[in-house]
Amino acid sequence: MSKTNPSFLNGVPELLVLQLLARREMYGYEIVRAIQEETKDAFAFGEGCIYPYLHHLQAEGWVSSRRQAVEGRSRNYYTLLPAGRQRLEDLTREWRRVAAGIGLVLEGGHA
Amino acid sequence: MPSRSGTVVAAVERCLRAAGGSGRSLAGPLRELADHHEDLRLAALAQGCTEAEAEALADARLGEPTDLARQWAAVLRQASWWGRHPWLGFGILPPVAFLLVWCLVGAGVVAAGGLGLWLRHVGGFSAGDLATAFLAEPEAFAEVYAVPAGVNTAALALVVLGFGRLARRALLGPRWLALAGLVTAGQGFFLQNGLEPHRFNFGYGWPPNWAGAAIPLLVAGLLVAEWAVRRRGVRVVAGPLVGWPLTWRVTPTLVGFALLAALVLGLGLRLREAAGRRAARLGWLRREVWPAERAAAVEELRRGHAPITRLATPVELAPWVNAALADSVPGDPAGGNHLASLPAGLHVFAGVPFLIDGRVQLLGRDLPPHFPAWPTRVREIPIGRHCGNLHLLHGAAYSAAQPVPPGTVVGRLVIRYADQSTAELPMVAGAQVLNWWGPVFTTEAPAGERRPSAPGTTLAWAGVNPAIRKAVPDYSLRLYRTTFANPHPEAWIVSVDYASTVTGAAPFLLGLTVE
């Protein structure tokens, strides 16, 4: 699998992370696993880069974090905040608009 | 099970530390990376990999260390105010910080220096004693005069060091440190301050202060070099976050900065327009108005006043003269600030004859008191007669640094009578005397500068010297005749004292006549 095009996918990691956190609070490793499983490995990326994204989302006030001990390990759990939910709605709407536009182009090409 | 961070986490840490990241700010990110690495390693072991394979697999899945470090650097930069506003922080704030640091360093030095001087010179704590000791023997406090240069050096270096630390902690890279160094050097280039006896100045001006420019550049250069050495062999992590959605965001700081910039720009344009109008009017006054008014005033003085006394006796001041008419005022580095154009000998000024042998110059706050010839008082100028009036031909050199508000008593004539009593006749700024450098024209002359207000005082002579021609060609040298009525005309006057009150004005006496 080739590396994804970062500039083309601007905003996509944010959308995915917020969407996953909208379901329940998760820690970084869980989020990466969920992305890979649910997208069926559509994205290939260095897994460590999820943390800068999470800290960015936290700095923006969209998620919060808390450290919790689980099975002898200390985990940093991230939770979606109301502002993050609003951001998720905006990103989702934008993504659907773009995807619909791309869909129209693709359908036109096959016509 | 203990966490094993792997080579990738170590490499990320090395890159971030080389970029300036400190232990506290890196602890959280590195811990999460190490936890993730551990999860990956355990998962690989659970799938049957060997320890070495699990370690290598975890490293590979965690990502490229330089990419991770670059992304972390971008996040950490954005997390700090300095990282979000580097132009404001490192381009605008250093001059402000310099003033603050200068005050703090200066206060510390003054406190320490005051203690040292007290121990050395006074021996018992009293601010009054210290001031008295300083005023009586200022040349013994030579070390004090080097203080501003030392404070400048320390403050300039501390500002660059401080902003260097901020740039490093915000992971901004050495270019922002270099900007802070350049801005501080620019400030130091124009910084002018110094301490002389009775005078301290602080401001910006010309000629350039090369040391003030060199110190920040030297400190910034050393910090950048040290930064380069720290980063040797480590890949650079500065730069924007790859794949990050780059959007302009309107923050309160950005809006405030834009409004401030617009305000400053608008104010600057208005000031420039006003300055242009003022310059045009000033040119007209200089070309056409002031020369004519000055010539008329000088012509009126040349024609002379009607004699106001026929029984006057000029007093011989030669024994008390401490400066020739051609002697420049001490402390004027350019020289030429003298009264050489005033005729010596017996002459009538403003209707009163005066015998002029030179200048009896007294001390003001701004005149270097280490010239032993400048006293604060000359005593017992013999009179030896009754008299109704005392006429003075006199002036005062005002300090540029020590304002002399109207109403300030700048000197006194002390009459000593035969019955041991005395009477003091004050010379008040604005009433009996004005600065000897000033306008003799009237149009747009500052209100308090036109003429002394006391009825017994009038302009007696106006002239120029090389210094005033060079510095303020619109102005003239001005001497005044002041007539004091003797408060006890029936009493025999033995002598008079001429005394300075050591203000920003240094009074001088050229002639004394009694009648």
Side-chain angles (χ1 to χ4, degrees):
Chain A
M1 185 184 297
S2 62
K3 287 277 184 184
T4 50
N5 182 337
S7 61
F8 184 70
L9 291 174
N10 271 354
V12 171
E14 189 181 331
L15 175 61
L16 295 178
V17 171
L18 291 176
Q19 179 61 37
L20 290 171
L21 290 178
R23 299 175 189 167
R24 63 182 173 88
E25 67 172 8
M26 303 171 88
Y27 58 93
Y29 184 76
E30 271 187 305
I31 294 170
V32 171
R33 293 278 78 78
I35 290 173
Q36 289 178 339
E37 285 169 13
E38 296 195 25
T39 64
K40 302 191 187 317
D41 285 332
F43 303 104
F45 54 91
E47 294 182 14
C49 75
I50 195 71
Y51 296 102
Y53 279 105
L54 286 167
H55 278 246
H56 167 67
L57 299 180
Q58 191 173 0
E60 294 290 345
W62 295 330
V63 303
S64 64
S65 71
R66 64 181 179 89
R67 189 159 277 279
Q68 184 181 5
V70 177
E71 297 173 359
R73 300 281 303 280
S74 178
R75 304 285 194 191
N76 211 20
Y77 280 89
Y78 293 87
T79 308
L80 193 65
L81 295 174
R85 198 167 295 281
Q86 180 62 48
R87 173 70 176 168
L88 174 62
E89 288 174 10
D90 294 344
L91 283 175
T92 305
R93 192 164 46 249
E94 181 65 12
W95 177 257
R96 285 188 173 137
R97 189 181 66 79
V98 170
I102 293 172
L104 288 173
V105 172
L106 293 177
E107 287 169 14
H110 289 297
Chain B
M1 179 181 287
S3 175
R4 301 175 58 177
S5 61
T7 55
V8 170
V9 179
V12 170
E13 181 179 5
R14 203 162 50 244
C15 289
L16 288 174
R17 285 194 184 282
S22 61
R24 199 171 52 183
S25 64
L26 299 184
L30 293 173
R31 186 175 180 182
E32 280 188 303
L33 274 182
D35 283 344
H36 196 106
H37 183 275
E38 182 66 2
D39 285 332
L40 288 169
R41 191 183 70 84
L42 292 174
L45 286 173
Q47 288 172 358
C49 295
T50 66
E51 186 66 45
E53 288 170 344
E55 189 75 26
L57 189 62
D59 278 345
R61 298 197 66 160
L62 207 53
E64 172 64 33
T66 308
D67 287 344
L68 289 174
R70 184 180 295 122
Q71 296 186 22
W72 266 119
V75 167
L76 293 173
R77 271 197 295 278
Q78 288 298 310
S80 86
W81 185 90
W82 300 93
R84 290 193 300 276
H85 308 286
W87 283 105
L88 180 60
F90 296 91
I92 305 293
L93 288 186
V96 180
F98 170 77
L99 297 177
L100 185 65
V101 172
W102 200 99
C103 291
L104 291 174
V105 173
V109 169
V110 166
L115 181 64
L117 291 172
W118 164 62
L119 291 171
R120 177 179 160 186
H121 294 285
V122 179
F125 184 79
S126 160
D129 287 348
L130 187 60
T132 303
F134 183 79
L135 287 172
E137 200 184 6
E139 65 273 19
F141 292 77
E143 65 271 30
V144 171
Y145 307 128
V147 164
V151 174
N152 285 352
T153 303
L156 289 167
L158 283 173
V159 166
V160 180
L161 284 170
F163 278 86
R165 182 168 175 77
L166 288 170
R168 176 170 290 177
R169 289 188 64 174
L171 282 84
L172 278 168
R175 61 187 167 174
W176 296 104
L177 159 63
L179 175 65
L182 282 173
V183 169
T184 310
Q187 184 181 32
F189 187 70
F190 294 105
L191 184 64
Q192 304 285 328
N193 66 5
L195 185 64
E196 296 167 11
H198 307 300
R199 178 174 180 172
F200 168 72
N201 65 72
F202 183 96
Y204 299 96
W206 199 259
N209 180 348
W210 293 105
I215 289 161
L217 292 178
L218 180 66
V219 175
L222 289 172
L223 288 177
V224 171
E226 190 252 345
W227 202 317
V229 168
R230 278 166 58 105
R231 285 168 56 154
R232 195 168 51 189
V234 180
R235 293 183 63 181
V236 175
V237 299
L241 184 61
V242 174
W244 201 262
L246 295 174
T247 54
W248 277 96
R249 292 178 52 202
V250 179
T251 63
T253 304
L254 191 62
V255 170
F257 191 52
L259 286 175
L260 185 65
L263 188 67
V264 169
L265 184 65
L267 193 62
L269 289 174
R270 288 188 66 115
L271 286 174
R272 188 178 166 190
E273 187 184 332
R277 285 199 302 270
R278 174 65 189 155
R281 177 161 178 82
L282 197 59
W284 172 71
L285 289 169
R286 281 181 169 155
R287 278 192 314 274
E288 300 180 22
V289 179
W290 290 345
E293 291 181 354
R294 194 161 45 232
V298 171
E299 176 59 23
E300 188 181 334
L301 289 170
R302 195 185 62 76
R303 285 202 306 272
H305 289 65
I308 64 168
T309 175
R310 297 183 186 283
L311 303 169
T313 304
V315 176
E316 172 92 35
L317 291 178
W320 288 270
V321 164
N322 50 23
L325 294 176
D327 286 348
S328 187
V329 171
D332 182 351
N337 193 13
H338 49 60
L339 284 167
S341 54
L342 178 71
L346 185 62
H347 297 277
V348 174
F349 293 96
V352 176
F354 289 101
L355 180 60
I356 299 171
D357 292 304
R359 206 163 72 223
V360 181
Q361 175 72 62
L362 299 184
L363 186 68
R365 275 191 189 279
D366 203 27
L367 280 181
H370 48 275
F371 283 77
W374 306 107
T376 57
R377 186 179 191 119
V378 292
R379 298 172 186 276
E380 298 180 1
I381 301 170
I383 303 296
R385 56 172 285 182
H386 290 92
C387 68
N389 291 316
L390 298 98
H391 307 281
L392 280 72
L393 179 66
H394 66 123
Y398 283 22
S399 161
Q402 301 273 349
V404 184
T408 305
V409 176
V410 301
R412 288 189 179 89
L413 194 70
V414 181
I415 304 174
R416 298 180 180 278
Y417 296 101
D419 62 0
Q420 307 294 318
S421 64
T422 60
E424 292 196 352
L425 303 171
M427 275 162 278
V428 179
Q432 279 84 20
V433 70
L434 291 172
N435 190 5
W436 73 317
W437 281 36
V440 295
F441 52 80
T442 53
T443 304
E444 293 199 11
E449 280 288 328
R450 289 175 190 165
R451 62 179 65 89
S453 61
T457 298
T458 187
L459 183 67
W461 178 85
V464 291
N465 63 26
I468 201 170
R469 269 205 190 102
K470 185 177 176 186
V472 198
D474 302 322
Y475 276 15
S476 304
L477 302 174
R478 305 179 298 183
L479 300 178
Y480 298 99
R481 186 264 293 156
T482 292
T483 297
F484 286 120
N486 180 5
H488 304 291
E490 73 289 353
W492 181 267
I493 300 178
V494 178
S495 62
V496 296
D497 291 359
Y498 178 55
S500 166
T501 53
V502 196
T503 62
F508 56 83
L509 182 65
L510 294 151
L512 174 63
T513 295
V514 296
E515 65 165 307

